[in-house]
Amino acid sequence: MFRSDFKTVLLLGAVLGLVGGLLFGFSGRDQTAVVVWTMGVVPVLVSLAVEILRSLRRGDVGLDIVAALSMTAALVFGETLAAAVIAVMYAGGTFLESFAEGRARREMRDLLSRVPRTAMRYMDGELEEVPLEDIKPDDLLLIRQGDVVPVDGQIATETAFVDASALTGESLPVRLSRGASAMSGSTNAGEPFDLLATHRARESTYAGIVRLVEAAQRSKAPMARMADRWSLGFLAVTLLIAGAAWGATGDPIRAVAVLVVATPCPLILAVPVALVAGVSRAAHFGILIKGARPLEAMARVHTLILDKTGTLTDGRPRIVSIRCHNGFGENDVLRLAASLDQASKHPVAQAVVLAAKARGLDLFVPTEVSEIPGEGVRGRVDGRSVTLGGEGFVSRHLGRHPEASSDEMAGSVLVAVSIDRQLAGHLVMADPLRQGTNALLDRLRQNGLSRILLATGDRFDVASKVTEGLRLDGIHADLTPDQKVLLVLTERQNSPVMMVGDGVNDAPALAAANVGVAMGARGAAASSEAAGVVLLVDRIDRLGTGIEIAKGSHRIALQSVVAGIGLSVAGMVAAAFGYLSPVQGAILQEVIDVAVILNALRALRIAPQDTAPTVPTIPLRE
């Protein structure tokens, strides 16, 4: 924040210096005008010198050297107006770049926003709320419905129902029995349960993932800015022409004029303007790009690594088919099941209710409801006895052995429904691919992505079944967060990599990639913090839109640079032959600036390829 404010003050000082000097000059107070122009230039020049020293320590030779040389030469040889104009242009360019980056990288403490700060601990027969760091192994904790598990531990009640999708990639909640391990960062999707802590918070799964993110961000070398990649050649050409003009004529003013014309405003201004415009255009489509660097990186990627749950899939169970038995119809089975499920908070139950509402079915008010967490629910609906839940639960209610479901799809869940003690049907719940995924992958390949991989923490059989028919170059399943990071780093050795994910387990890989893209609409806070790009709408097709905008902005910036540098070189040659004074060179440079900025602003009108809207999905919670 301080850096952004400093650049704002620097720009205001340069503008006030230029305008104030012009006012004094027009009123005939030339000496005062020189002093005011100098006062506006010196802070910019000092700031520039500091940036140059920092760059040289890193081994970088950037555009700052040309700007510093032109301002210094103009001041030394009395061309203070030209120096003031250059100062305004340079300060304006750095301000725009800072504005584009915005709050690209907040402090890593924000990453922990999803982690609970306190937990409910049993102490002397009572519950007390204690800070997370006070929890010790063997402490007994109460995990309420909807709570995030604060530390790794073991289930201390008969059963628990947890959603570990943010950690493992398994899209459907799982039932855990007494003694089973529960990972920190998973969510209680059922009734309250007790947890026996086995680790301290700093030693738990989620804390380990946070450390992975921090390490990945520290180790990632930033991609060079487009402007920096042009700087060394432009600097050499500038010094050659300026030195030749001075050496051939013995007139230092000609060298000053060359340096003034050579001030790399097309690079300093055109690149950030085009990229800021691209960032703004992307935001119009619900794509938050955290600055110019992620936009440039997005335009240059060739390898895409995709998470499965919540990225290629909705990350929420929905009914994919209804199997009816004993003469019952689909709508009858769904209506009665959904009516009873209105009394349950189970995620699958809520999906059943919303599926019935989506069909326009009128639901009844259930009575005499009893629910066994993690097993099923029974009650009366419209005068009929209804039971639904797992195959074993319903079969025991009917007094028979559960039937094997050999045709069950990998990764799916069967919800059995009995009506009046007859098996009425099965609701097949699954987390299928988002509609239009194949078209999206084709679109991405058309936009230059040559390698597309799947990386998931889910089982290989589930991943391969769900992605069957997709044109993927590889499937990597059963991955832990550190294995995802290793995959990203391996692929980065061959080409720039984009990683797309939404879970806590994706955050380290998002940080390690050249550009990370988070599904921010429903994803974990950790992934949104670690990523350089966040999709604010729950539509994977926005990934293609973002890449098209990034490539378009990058192309427009490049066009502006080539045109601007070409015009600048022509002006430098004219100045070398004495056709332009330093002030005239500064004015010419302003004309060039206006031209390249107007061209750069075309990025605001980039029209990405239209995509079909994503089919609405059934959310777990309203």
Side-chain angles (χ1 to χ4, degrees):
M1 189 56 138
F2 170 77
R3 184 177 176 86
S4 176
D5 291 341
F6 175 73
K7 290 186 176 182
T8 303
V9 171
L10 206 64
L11 175 60
L12 288 175
V15 171
L16 289 175
L18 175 60
V19 174
L22 288 173
L23 292 176
F24 282 116
F26 288 142
S27 63
R29 301 168 66 181
D30 293 341
Q31 290 303 316
T32 305
V34 169
V35 172
V36 172
W37 283 328
T38 303
M39 290 174 60
V41 172
V42 169
V44 177
L45 193 54
V46 170
S47 171
L48 191 51
V50 172
E51 289 296 328
I52 291 172
L53 288 175
R54 288 175 178 171
S55 298
L56 291 176
R57 285 198 194 102
R58 297 192 302 266
D60 297 334
V61 179
L63 295 167
D64 299 339
I65 294 178
V66 180
L69 284 174
S70 59
M71 272 189 276
T72 302
L75 288 178
V76 168
F77 293 104
E79 299 290 341
T80 49
L81 174 56
V85 172
I86 298 167
V88 169
M89 289 302 100
Y90 179 81
T94 56
F95 171 79
L96 282 171
E97 190 167 25
S98 175
F99 175 78
E101 291 175 0
R103 296 163 63 189
R105 295 293 178 194
R106 282 178 277 182
E107 297 293 335
M108 278 304 298
R109 63 176 179 268
D110 291 339
L111 177 60
L112 292 170
S113 59
R114 186 178 181 272
V115 179
R117 303 296 182 187
T118 61
M120 300 300 295
R121 181 174 65 182
Y122 290 98
M123 183 63 67
D124 298 328
E126 296 183 354
L127 281 171
E128 61 175 357
E129 189 169 7
V130 297
L132 209 60
E133 56 269 20
D134 289 353
I135 299 175
K136 306 181 298 295
D138 297 327
D139 280 350
L140 188 62
L141 310 177
L142 172 66
I143 311 300
R144 297 163 297 189
Q145 186 175 48
D147 279 355
V148 175
V149 177
V151 297
D152 291 348
Q154 292 181 336
I155 304 299
T157 48
E158 287 303 318
T159 186
F161 213 73
V162 299
D163 178 1
S165 59
L167 295 171
T168 65
E170 293 178 298
S171 57
L172 299 175
V174 295
R175 179 175 176 248
L176 300 177
S177 301
R178 183 187 293 272
S181 297
M183 291 184 292
S184 60
S186 55
T187 303
N188 181 7
E191 298 299 317
F193 65 87
D194 293 340
L195 180 81
L196 184 67
T198 57
H199 295 78
R200 294 182 180 273
R202 63 176 179 271
E203 301 165 348
S204 291
T205 302
Y206 193 88
I209 291 175
V210 171
R211 288 192 292 272
L212 275 175
V213 173
E214 292 173 330
Q217 289 184 328
R218 286 194 301 267
S219 65
K220 182 172 69 173
M223 297 180 75
R225 297 178 303 166
M226 180 195 299
D228 291 337
R229 295 195 299 273
W230 285 73
S231 59
L232 191 58
F234 187 73
L235 174 61
V237 171
T238 299
L239 294 178
L240 179 63
I241 296 176
W246 193 349
T249 64
D251 183 4
I253 299 301
R254 289 203 183 185
V256 173
V258 170
L259 290 173
V260 169
V261 177
T263 303
C265 292
L267 289 174
I268 294 173
L269 287 175
V271 172
V273 166
L275 299 183
V276 168
V279 169
S280 176
R281 183 60 172 163
H284 178 74
F285 292 92
I287 307 162
L288 174 62
I289 302 178
K290 299 180 181 178
R293 288 184 186 271
L295 187 91
E296 278 200 67
M298 203 172 184
R300 297 165 57 191
V301 295
H302 293 288
T303 298
L304 173 65
I305 300 177
L306 291 160
D307 176 48
K308 180 183 72 69
T309 304
T311 303
L312 284 183
T313 69
D314 291 322
R316 300 169 292 195
R318 62 174 177 170
I319 295 176
V320 294
S321 67
I322 301 176
R323 303 172 187 169
C324 298
H325 311 295
N326 297 319
F328 288 94
E330 283 192 9
N331 285 347
D332 292 331
V333 171
L334 181 57
R335 177 186 287 109
L336 294 175
S339 296
L340 181 59
D341 266 340
Q342 291 176 109
S344 174
K345 294 182 178 180
H346 194 289
V348 172
Q350 294 177 47
V352 172
V353 172
L354 290 178
K357 290 180 177 179
R359 290 197 182 192
L361 301 178
D362 295 325
L363 303 184
F364 304 103
V365 176
T367 59
E368 302 176 27
V369 178
S370 65
E371 180 175 8
I372 300 178
E375 293 276 356
V377 61
R378 64 182 60 162
R380 298 193 66 81
V381 177
D382 192 30
R384 311 183 76 168
S385 173
V386 180
T387 303
L388 67 151
E391 185 74 31
F393 175 75
V394 173
S395 295
R396 288 194 300 271
H397 172 69
L398 296 177
R400 58 182 178 80
H401 293 291
E403 297 178 0
S405 49
S406 58
D407 57 342
E408 184 177 343
M409 184 179 71
S412 67
V413 169
L414 286 181
V415 178
V417 182
S418 75
I419 300 173
D420 293 334
R421 301 191 65 82
Q422 291 188 77
L423 183 63
H426 288 90
L427 308 178
V428 183
M429 313 289 294
D431 182 22
L433 283 176
R434 295 175 185 265
Q435 186 167 337
T437 300
N438 243 329
L440 169 65
L441 298 187
D442 289 341
R443 179 185 179 190
L444 294 177
R445 291 187 187 277
Q446 291 169 6
N447 278 287
L449 274 77
S450 56
R451 185 167 168 79
I452 301 177
L453 306 173
L454 179 73
T456 179
D458 211 346
R459 304 192 312 272
F460 182 81
D461 60 331
V462 174
S464 58
K465 180 67 176 179
V466 170
T467 59
E468 190 175 5
L470 291 184
R471 292 177 55 218
L472 296 172
D473 296 299
I475 297 176
H476 300 265
D478 298 300
L479 298 182
T480 59
D482 56 335
Q483 288 173 331
K484 285 190 176 184
V485 172
L486 181 60
L487 175 62
V488 169
L489 295 178
T490 302
E491 292 296 329
R492 267 180 52 187
Q493 295 176 2
N494 301 317
S495 64
V497 173
M498 173 188 289
M499 171 71 194
V500 187
D502 75 318
V504 176
N505 61 332
D506 299 317
L510 294 174
N514 296 105
V515 58
V517 180
M519 302 293 293
R522 292 185 291 110
S527 60
S528 294
E529 292 293 341
V533 180
V534 181
L535 303 186
L536 299 177
V537 292
D538 191 27
R539 292 179 53 167
I540 188 63
D541 66 323
R542 289 296 191 249
L543 182 61
T545 301
I547 290 177
E548 289 179 14
I549 291 174
K551 287 185 175 292
S553 301
H554 189 269
R555 183 172 57 252
I556 289 171
L558 187 60
Q559 291 169 353
S560 298
V561 165
V562 171
I565 293 300
L567 292 172
S568 293
V569 170
M572 288 159 57
V573 172
F577 281 98
Y579 294 112
L580 293 174
S581 68
V583 173
Q584 290 171 333
I587 294 172
L588 174 62
Q589 188 60 62
E590 294 311 296
V591 173
I592 295 173
D593 293 342
V594 171
V596 296
I597 288 173
L598 290 176
N599 183 68
L601 287 173
R602 290 192 301 115
L604 288 170
R605 301 194 302 273
I606 293 174
Q609 174 186 333
D610 291 334
T611 56
T614 302
V615 174
T617 55
I618 300 171
L620 294 181
R621 299 175 179 86
E622 290 189 287

